[in-house]
Amino acid sequence: MIDYETIRVIWWLFTGVVAIGFTVTEGFDFGIGALLPFLGKSDVERRVILNTIGPNWEGNQVWLILLGGALFAVWPPLYATLFSGLYVAMLLVLFSLFMRPTGFDFRSKVDDPTWRNAWDWALFAGGALPPILLGVLVGNLVQGLPYRLDQDLRTFYEGSFWALLNPFALLCGVVGLAGMAFHGAIYLGWRTEGVIHRRACAVLDLLGPVFLVGLTVAILWTIAAFGRPEITSMADTAAPSNPLNKTVTLNNSWLAHFAAHPWMWAAPVVGVAGMLTAWLTGRKGSSGLAFLSSSIGISGVLLTLGFALFPFLLISSIDPRSSYTIWDASASHFNLLLSFWITVVFLPIVLLYTRWAYKVMWGKVTERDILQDSHTLY
Amino acid sequence: MITGEDVVDLSRLQFGLTALYHFLFVPLTLGMTFLLGIMESVYVMTGKQVYKDMTRYWGKLFGINFAMGVTTGITLEFQFGTNWAYYSHYVGDIFGPLLASEGWMAFFLESTLVGLFFFGWDRLSKVQHLTVTWLLAFGTNFSALWILLANGWMQYPVGSEFNFDTLRMEMTSFADVFFNPVAQVKFVHTVAAGYVTGSMFVLGISSWFLLHQRDVGFARRSFSIASAFGLASVLSVIVLGDESGYTSGEVQKIKLAAIEAEWETHPAPAGFTLIGFPDQERQETAFAIKLPWVLGLIATRSIDEDVKGIKDLRQESISHIKSGMVAYGELQKMREGDKSPAVKTAFDQHKADLGYGLLLKKYTEKVTDASEAQLAQAGDDTIPKVAPLFWTFRIMVVSGFTMLFVFAMALYHCATRTADQKPWLLKLAVWSIPLPWIAAETGWFVAEYGRQPWTIAGVLPTHMSVSHLSSGQLWFSMGGLVTFYTVLLIIELYLMLKYIRLGPSSLHTGRYFLEGKA
């Protein structure tokens, strides 16, 4: 039996694992979608691009669904406040996701240039909008969201959609898009040869610097402009979840938090080093090494965010004690244990057959493949 | 704070529409994956090419449908959070793990393997591909299992209790949630209905090929598999129908009484109202034609148990509401810091009825000061509108029995090898294609509309469950969803019809009708 405090920390880690699983796998699908109209000039070229992820994108998308499910199951108030507070933004994410299953499956089922071109732009929107919107969301998470809880723990969100589009958050949106497109170009380069391979590697010279510079600016901006929340009093770490039983100040420094836990610096270092390695190796001809590096880099960036916020999950900018921490926004002890065992059993099984599915479909996708299997492939 | 009625109504309408829309695609996925598994098994066992072509052709139609199922399924996961925030907080501890399990056990399996199903034909051995197809079928069915456990819990919330520290429901027994009798019958009923949908789809389209004397060998084989699987499935739907779930819990009993427009409690065994015109205001059913004994048999599986009528159930609800007022009052005291044993004991005595107390929140924020008139109003609220339930239930049942007739005739004529000489049968099968959808949609309407005024039966009222949104936000989402869904449905139907007209010739094997072969 794992005690309540420990299992809360474990679930904080697991949530990070699922978030990383989502960003690393669906990340390159999003990126490839965003690059599709630009890196593929002809119909056959675009089909080559689509079919590098054709057999596997659907499984990757489940990480997103699972992330939603994990928040619902393990941090129910976080799920409730995030999705209802950011109502319009979440619906825009949803609408852009509509373009993906339909785009992949329907695009090549009709042999008509207008039809296919329209779907290519739909796939572009479905690939580009979610990273931008999720980036904007992260940008606002760092600044805190304007919500408060009433005594029944009902959420009242007092901001508007337009207020989300502040300069810092927009920068995060650009970083999100550049990062996913970068990751996508690397995967695409790895799975193709010839002209598409060359174009994919060339675009890294644009995306790599945008991402790295943008990320650095965002980090410095955070340190300079925003305060980090700190708990000033709370029930103990194994108490039943009720956010209102604590007090919080918003004026601490992010640097002081890292200074208190120096090992946390490993995350941003791994993030930047991974992305740099990916860029430098990828631009000369993308390979498994470049992909591994960008995956590690992305994980480092996400861990930086998680470490910086710890133990907070969501900050309220208007009523600090309504903020959620891992100690007061978790599901019950019973539930966390149940979900833990389900995850421990199924995560390895999922990874095993996912690996197999990739292995079966592995290989470079070429124009010849497309012409040969024109009626079966995407 | 009391949320505006228009936001509650719009949120309900939006969830209802998107859920019903999603369920246009789900049952076909449930049924088609099984049929694909059967067809491919025959291919692997006999080695006959036509069965592989069948798997691939029906697989193409399945693919178009599956894409829509995935697209519209994400909406539902988002919506619990976006539109039902208090619900998510209040029952996330039970609902969440079931949804997450669906992710781990079902979504990953079906979504990872669906790519191999379509693109793995030349990269996998026969047996490997067959395994993929069957795992895909199990994946879709696991998905139904988990989400129906969640839905079954909403109808009959077992294995959980209210925690006054966290102000929400928390799970106390996974086994009780998993073996919830309402959820179990719901699962069997729903997946079997999915098999019926898949079978009717294949049967109807094969009949259309036969009527036009196209690809006769291909169509005849598809027809016979669909008729056999369809008959077995429709019998399961009817015989194992989820009627038996209606005796568990107060709210399910009210739903049953509403479906039957059973205003009074009659001496056992109760009669079944075959048809009539329910009148909510006067609380009676005009021109009722009753079959003696039948309702008692269906509902209680006995001849000596009463089936309670609406008027008596309403009185019972009112006594639950009174007890819920006490629970709410004691909870309020505890929240204000009074944790004395007397308060705790009083709360524990009444806490099962806390949800009924919350019904009063619609009329008075304080709850404990409710007047007799407000109590009576809340009591009325516990009775859903009878006429819509009465009629949709009957539409579902008639669709079900019509399909039983179609499948029975189809199988009989298949067995006597006379099916393709019976144009009436083939035409009937084509025109029956919409029936499983009509049955499924009306069935869900009965299940969900009949649970009103609750999201969680007896635990959380609908008007408490919604997010604190403006009606402008609701109109934005509704506008977007209706636009996207309408456009996507037109595209989906266009592609379906295109590939149905092409028939197996769309595989470009050179063996079929439009390619110059019979």
Side-chain angles (χ1 to χ4, degrees):
Chain A
M1 179 92 164
I2 309 166
D3 66 61
Y4 203 7
E5 181 187 22
T6 313
I7 196 80
R8 279 170 163 159
V9 176
I10 290 177
W11 263 109
W12 177 76
L13 284 168
F14 273 11
T15 310
V17 169
V18 177
I20 288 171
F22 158 62
T23 320
V24 166
T25 60
E26 193 164 16
F28 65 76
D29 294 335
F30 281 147
I32 287 174
L35 295 169
L36 173 71
F38 310 108
L39 299 190
K41 311 280 183 208
S42 66
D43 180 55
V44 180
E45 284 177 10
R46 288 183 179 177
R47 293 186 72 180
V48 169
I49 296 176
L50 282 177
N51 281 286
T52 58
I53 51 174
N56 303 109
W57 78 269
E58 200 133 11
N60 297 345
Q61 176 145 305
V62 180
W63 286 100
L64 173 68
I65 310 297
L66 189 69
L67 184 58
L71 294 186
F72 197 172
V74 178
W75 318 105
L78 175 65
Y79 171 75
T81 301
L82 213 52
F83 279 69
S84 66
L86 305 175
Y87 191 75
V88 172
M90 284 297 175
L91 277 150
L92 291 177
V93 173
L94 176 69
F95 294 160
S96 44
L97 292 176
F98 285 169
M99 302 292 95
R100 295 162 53 71
T102 48
F104 281 106
D105 197 76
F106 295 171
R107 180 200 180 276
S108 300
K109 283 204 157 59
V110 176
D111 195 358
D112 172 75
T114 319
W115 168 277
R116 290 188 174 182
N117 202 37
W119 279 115
D120 289 341
W121 285 101
L123 281 162
F124 162 76
L129 283 175
I132 296 175
L133 288 162
L134 294 174
V136 166
L137 181 121
V138 169
N140 283 287
L141 287 189
V142 171
Q143 302 172 73
L145 294 178
Y147 75 96
R148 66 175 85 244
L149 301 173
D150 74 356
Q151 60 150 2
D152 290 322
L153 300 183
R154 273 187 282 185
T155 293
F156 294 87
Y157 188 85
E158 294 176 9
S160 72
F161 170 69
W162 303 110
L164 295 176
L165 305 178
N166 54 73
F168 176 74
L170 289 175
L171 171 68
C172 294
V174 172
V175 173
L177 177 61
M180 296 304 98
F182 177 86
H183 191 49
I186 284 182
Y187 187 78
L188 182 62
W190 187 18
R191 294 290 307 272
T192 51
E193 51 192 30
V195 60
I196 294 175
H197 172 81
R198 282 196 299 278
R199 281 183 209 145
C201 298
V203 80
L204 294 179
D205 280 342
L206 169 71
L207 297 170
V210 170
F211 176 79
L212 285 165
V213 172
L215 179 69
T216 313
V217 173
I219 290 175
L220 295 175
W221 192 335
T222 306
I223 294 170
F226 311 124
R228 199 197 105 91
E230 209 66 62
I231 301 170
T232 43
S233 75
M234 62 176 276
D236 73 284
T237 48
S241 292
N242 188 330
L244 299 180
N245 294 338
K246 70 171 176 306
T247 53
V248 171
T249 161
L250 283 183
N251 301 316
N252 226 303
S253 117
W254 299 89
L255 275 181
H257 177 66
F258 274 76
H261 314 277
W263 56 270
M264 286 186 179
W265 283 109
V269 170
V270 165
V272 171
M275 292 311 253
L276 256 179
T277 317
W279 176 29
L280 297 177
T281 50
R283 63 195 299 268
K284 292 194 211 119
S286 183
S287 62
L289 177 66
F291 182 75
L292 182 67
S293 308
S294 72
S295 302
I296 291 174
I298 286 173
S299 312
V301 173
L302 286 175
L303 286 175
T304 306
L305 177 72
F307 289 168
L309 287 169
F310 187 90
F312 286 88
L313 296 166
L314 190 64
I315 307 164
S316 164
S317 55
I318 54 172
D319 180 33
R321 74 179 191 135
S322 292
S323 300
Y324 297 139
T325 73
I326 69 166
W327 314 123
D328 61 23
S330 80
S332 65
H333 193 184
F334 180 93
N335 174 334
L336 293 188
L337 289 171
L338 172 71
S339 303
F340 173 77
W341 288 113
I342 292 173
T343 306
V344 167
V345 173
F346 282 92
L347 177 65
I349 298 176
V350 166
L351 291 178
L352 217 65
Y353 65 64
T354 300
R355 202 185 90 97
W356 180 68
Y358 271 90
K359 216 175 105 187
V360 169
M361 299 311 299
W362 201 253
K364 307 263 185 207
V365 180
T366 63
E367 297 194 11
R368 219 188 44 188
D369 296 334
I370 302 294
L371 298 173
Q372 224 166 38
D373 255 333
S374 183
H375 297 286
T376 311
L377 290 174
Y378 282 151
Chain B
M1 202 174 298
I2 296 168
T3 312
E5 287 281 311
D6 55 339
V7 170
V8 177
D9 289 344
L10 282 170
S11 301
R12 268 185 72 195
L13 182 63
Q14 182 174 306
F15 199 92
L17 286 178
T18 50
L20 288 176
Y21 189 84
H22 179 52
F23 218 76
L24 291 175
F25 312 104
V26 173
L28 191 58
T29 294
L30 289 173
M32 286 298 275
T33 47
F34 251 83
L35 282 162
L36 294 174
I38 294 171
M39 289 170 186
E40 195 174 343
S41 298
V42 180
Y43 164 61
V44 171
M45 285 185 293
T46 64
K48 283 186 186 155
Q49 181 67 31
V50 63
Y51 286 100
K52 181 179 178 185
D53 293 348
M54 278 161 62
T55 314
R56 291 188 56 206
Y57 171 67
W58 296 110
K60 249 184 208 297
L61 301 187
F62 154 75
I64 297 169
N65 174 72
F66 187 74
M68 291 294 285
V70 173
T71 302
T72 55
I74 310 171
T75 308
L76 297 184
E77 197 205 34
F78 270 59
Q79 259 190 135
F80 292 115
T82 52
N83 292 73
W84 304 93
Y86 199 60
Y87 168 97
S88 302
H89 152 76
Y90 207 84
V91 301
D93 206 66
I94 300 100
F95 200 94
L98 300 175
L99 194 64
S101 300
E102 188 178 3
W104 280 125
M105 292 176 213
F107 291 150
F108 266 122
L109 192 61
E110 48 181 326
S111 301
T112 307
L113 296 182
V114 76
L116 294 185
F117 173 79
F118 288 119
F119 305 115
W121 286 104
D122 300 330
R123 292 173 183 247
L124 296 167
S125 72
K126 274 188 189 179
V127 174
Q128 277 177 330
H129 194 280
L130 179 65
T131 312
V132 165
T133 308
W134 275 111
L135 287 175
L136 177 64
F138 290 135
T140 61
N141 281 261
F142 281 146
S143 180
L145 172 66
W146 288 105
I147 203 63
L148 291 169
L149 286 176
N151 182 269
W153 183 80
M154 292 168 70
Q155 314 282 354
Y156 183 48
V158 288
S160 54
E161 66 175 4
F162 182 79
N163 180 338
F164 64 85
D165 279 318
T166 55
L167 299 173
R168 66 182 180 201
M169 297 295 289
E170 294 184 352
M171 200 191 287
T172 52
S173 163
F174 181 65
D176 286 354
V177 172
F178 193 90
F179 295 107
N180 180 349
V182 174
Q184 293 293 333
V185 288
K186 225 172 201 339
F187 169 64
V188 176
H189 186 67
T190 308
V191 293
Y195 305 156
V196 171
T197 310
S199 305
M200 191 54 90
F201 182 78
V202 172
L203 189 80
I205 295 169
S206 305
S207 299
W208 186 79
F209 292 146
L210 291 173
L211 273 173
H212 292 81
Q213 305 193 334
R214 291 173 45 167
D215 301 319
V216 172
F218 179 97
R220 208 184 271 151
R221 286 181 178 85
S222 303
F223 186 97
S224 52
I225 288 179
S227 60
F229 188 56
L231 184 63
S233 309
V234 80
L235 282 170
S236 326
V237 174
I238 294 171
V239 177
L240 307 171
D242 68 350
E243 287 271 5
S244 49
Y246 285 123
T247 52
S248 312
E250 297 297 311
V251 174
Q252 289 284 93
K253 281 182 199 153
I254 296 180
K255 194 191 287 179
L256 177 66
I259 288 168
E260 302 310 348
E262 188 78 357
W263 302 100
E264 311 282 349
T265 306
H266 293 287
F272 177 90
T273 307
L274 194 61
I275 200 110
F277 294 90
D279 182 337
Q280 190 109 6
E281 229 157 83
R282 297 170 54 197
Q283 303 205 323
E284 57 183 45
T285 304
F287 308 111
I289 302 171
K290 288 205 161 206
L291 296 181
W293 285 39
V294 174
L295 177 60
L297 285 173
I298 293 174
T300 65
R301 300 274 190 270
S302 75
I303 52 168
D304 50 9
E305 258 180 79
D306 284 349
V307 177
K308 284 231 173 84
I310 291 171
K311 290 178 185 172
D312 287 338
L313 288 165
R314 178 179 170 280
Q315 276 313 316
E316 285 180 15
S317 292
I318 290 182
S319 48
H320 284 298
I321 295 169
K322 285 181 179 157
S323 157
M325 277 167 74
V326 180
Y328 191 85
E330 301 302 315
L331 176 64
Q332 206 57 26
K333 284 184 204 161
M334 287 196 279
R335 255 193 285 189
E336 281 153 14
D338 182 356
K339 302 224 165 140
S340 65
V343 174
K344 179 97 178 43
T345 315
F347 176 72
D348 281 342
Q349 264 171 12
H350 293 278
K351 86 170 175 187
D353 290 321
L354 179 65
Y356 282 88
L358 297 177
L359 283 175
L360 289 166
K361 276 245 175 192
K362 197 168 163 187
Y363 304 106
T364 158
E365 180 63 23
K366 239 187 111 186
V367 175
T368 45
D369 62 352
S371 65
E372 280 299 319
Q374 287 170 327
L375 268 172
Q377 269 179 311
D380 289 342
D381 287 348
T382 61
I383 308 301
K385 287 202 188 98
V386 171
L389 292 171
F390 182 88
W391 287 111
T392 44
F393 182 80
R394 276 151 188 77
I395 294 171
M396 175 183 81
V397 171
V398 169
S399 307
F401 279 98
T402 312
M403 288 188 280
L404 175 63
F405 174 75
V406 176
F407 282 121
M409 285 297 120
L411 187 63
Y412 171 76
H413 287 288
C414 237
T416 56
R417 297 179 182 280
T418 50
D420 28 333
Q421 296 131 41
K422 296 274 182 287
W424 68 268
L425 175 64
L426 301 175
K427 280 181 196 156
L428 179 66
V430 173
W431 287 105
S432 296
I433 291 177
L435 285 177
W437 278 275
I438 293 172
E441 300 281 316
T442 47
W444 272 114
F445 180 85
V446 169
E448 302 300 291
Y449 192 84
R451 192 192 52 226
Q452 293 308 318
W454 306 100
T455 45
I456 310 295
V459 169
L460 187 67
T462 308
H463 68 85
M464 290 275 292
S465 309
V466 290
S467 305
H468 184 74
L469 298 168
S470 68
S471 41
Q473 286 171 310
L474 261 304
W475 284 116
F476 162 76
S477 54
M478 192 77 102
L481 286 164
V482 168
T483 310
F484 274 109
Y485 277 11
T486 307
V487 173
L488 287 175
L489 188 65
I490 293 169
I491 292 172
E492 200 260 357
L493 287 174
Y494 161 75
L495 283 175
M496 272 290 184
L497 291 175
K498 172 183 151 121
Y499 277 89
I500 289 169
R501 283 204 196 94
L502 284 172
S505 309
S506 62
L507 300 173
H508 295 267
T509 55
R511 284 190 287 273
Y512 292 99
F513 183 71
L514 296 178
E515 301 161 303
K517 303 281 158 56

